[in-house]
Amino acid sequence: MHKVESNGAEIPAIGLGTWDIRGAQCVEIVSEGLRLGYRHIDTAQGYDNEREVGEGLRASGVARDDIFLTTKVWHDKLNAGALEKSAEESIARLGVDHVDLLLVHWPNPDVPVKETMEAMARVKRDGLTRHIGVSNFPIALIDEAVAVSPEPIVTNQVEYHPYLDQTKIVDACRRHGISITAYCPIARAKVIGDPVVEDIAARHSRNPVQVALRWLIQQPGVIAIPRTSSKTRLAENLDIDGFNLTDAEMAAIADLARPDGRIVNVAWAPKWD
């Protein structure tokens, strides 16, 4: 699996998302994923599973230095002081001495972006994270964050899949050398049964999930973090290196985007581009 280079970070193009996986199942999925070959694990304070993710890391037997570990700070902890404390708590729950990437999970309009990014930079300089980034930031906030952040921003984690056109935010991030990390990359399984995706999958002797993931990581600077609680799916989601989509196939999948394609639109979401 190739890595995406972004402002000094090298991030494995496929990661394991852990949203809504908790308890013993989370430990098992993370440890099994690492044994299968995943080297990028994504969690968050808001997922309430950092402790189990850490247990899974240790149970896998894979060396910590070989794993790219991401967690996120919740949007009610973005003030100076609260953010640093939150990061320390995440590190403690994970049972590691640092993460590889710390993200602002959602923007908070009541906290200045400058204050948040300066606090993120302090966390990095204190050695608690190797890199910093953001999540769910629209274009105006990305531009502002880049302008005020004392440290480079390496990714913007956003919802991205065939039914949601994210061309504007992808282009904006590329202008700053920032990668895109796609969550909900298979649109919560909506790609399964889609005639266009199924037809392309049949041509390549693959399944539609593999095609949707290939479509994402074949785009420059794009990373995907599929989430699954199935061990069979774990292996399949990682096995997407043996084929390439043609330009026509890439375009056909992009054409599936529709105005109502967004899945995640919580009450605290910013105004999307």
Side-chain angles (χ1 to χ4, degrees):
M1 181 59 57
H2 74 271
K3 294 182 178 181
V4 171
E5 295 186 7
S6 175
N7 285 341
E10 292 187 350
I11 309 171
I14 287 287
L16 175 58
T18 63
W19 173 77
D20 206 32
I21 307 176
R22 298 189 179 92
Q25 184 184 52
C26 182
V27 177
E28 187 177 15
I29 287 295
V30 169
S31 60
E32 179 66 15
L34 289 166
R35 283 192 285 267
L36 286 169
Y38 285 85
R39 291 297 180 265
H40 175 185
I41 305 294
D42 181 274
T43 183
Q45 178 189 88
Y47 296 172
D48 193 26
N49 65 6
E50 287 174 318
R51 203 174 304 280
E52 290 83 0
V53 167
E55 288 179 28
L57 262 61
R58 290 183 287 280
S60 72
V62 175
R64 171 67 187 92
D65 288 348
D66 293 337
I67 302 167
F68 192 96
L69 177 61
T70 299
T71 195
K72 312 177 191 76
V73 181
W74 196 236
H75 62 87
D76 64 352
K77 294 179 172 61
L78 300 186
N79 290 99
L83 190 151
E84 293 94 328
K85 184 171 185 288
S86 172
E88 290 169 358
E89 290 170 349
S90 285
I91 297 293
R93 280 190 294 268
L94 286 161
V96 296
D97 59 8
H98 73 281
V99 292
D100 298 278
L101 178 57
L102 184 70
L103 303 180
V104 176
H105 202 155
W106 291 88
N108 184 337
D110 296 326
V111 182
V113 173
K114 187 174 190 291
E115 179 178 346
T116 295
M117 298 315 299
E118 287 177 348
M120 291 285 281
R122 283 193 292 274
V123 171
K124 179 182 175 183
R125 289 167 182 171
D126 286 344
L128 296 181
T129 184
R130 292 174 58 229
H131 304 285
I132 62 171
V134 297
S135 182
N136 299 299
F137 270 41
I139 294 170
L141 285 183
I142 277 287
D143 290 343
E144 183 180 357
V146 169
V148 300
S149 180
E151 294 285 341
I153 294 168
V154 306
T155 204
N156 185 16
Q157 187 176 125
V158 296
E159 179 181 343
Y160 190 21
H161 48 71
Y163 307 108
L164 182 62
D165 181 5
Q166 290 283 40
T167 305
K168 290 179 181 177
I169 192 68
V170 170
D171 288 347
C173 287
R174 280 185 185 146
R175 285 197 297 273
H176 296 298
I178 296 172
S179 64
I180 287 284
T181 301
Y183 70 77
C184 292
I186 60 170
R188 294 196 179 155
K190 285 184 172 62
V191 297
I192 300 172
D194 184 293
V196 172
V197 183
E198 291 278 3
D199 179 58
I200 293 170
R203 275 183 243 153
H204 291 277
S205 300
R206 296 287 178 149
N207 67 43
V209 169
Q210 290 171 318
V211 165
L213 294 174
R214 183 73 217 175
W215 175 76
L216 284 165
I217 71 160
Q218 207 168 298
Q219 299 174 48
V222 177
I223 298 150
I225 49 168
R227 166 245 185 249
T228 183
S229 55
S230 158
K231 289 186 179 180
T232 301
R233 289 283 188 205
L234 266 180
E236 291 175 352
N237 292 352
L238 195 61
D239 183 24
I240 58 171
D241 264 351
F243 71 108
N244 285 292
L245 301 176
T246 66
D247 290 347
E249 290 168 338
M250 291 288 288
I253 295 169
D255 284 345
L256 295 172
R258 56 190 193 223
D260 64 347
R262 187 177 295 279
I263 294 170
V264 178
N265 206 359
V266 292
W268 55 84
K271 182 179 179 183
W272 304 114
D273 294 302

